[in-house]
Amino acid sequence: MVDTFFLYTFESTHGAISTEKLLKPVGCTVMPVPRHISTSCGIAVRVEPEKFEESKKAFLEKTELCPEEYHVYRIEEDKSVKRFDFEPVAL
């Protein structure tokens, strides 16, 4: 079974916490950043595919972070075959 989702990652814990508060009404969860992606902050905000466009709009309208302080990835993970694919997403 393949799990697909979007992940906002950050250079600082402050960025992760402020984004979680911002996207809470949209529906998000906090999770550790997979080591495949980064070891910077360690905290990421996960958004399901059906909520991504809404989260992107809310994030871009309200965030105080500059583009250098965050990254967004589309993740595909299949734990049955231990496959983890990710690609950057431009906002």
Side-chain angles (χ1 to χ4, degrees), residues 17-40:
I17 292 169
S18 64
T19 299
E20 178 198 14
K21 289 178 183 175
L22 184 70
L23 297 183
K24 199 85 156 160
V26 174
C28 67
T29 55
V30 174
M31 65 177 279
V33 177
R35 280 186 244 151
H36 299 40
I37 294 176
S38 173
T39 57
S40 294

Side-chain angles (χ1 to χ4, degrees), residues 1 5 18 22 24 46-47 84:
M1 180 178 163
F5 55 94
S18 64
L22 184 70
K24 199 85 156 160
R46 175 183 170 144
V47 177
F84 183 90

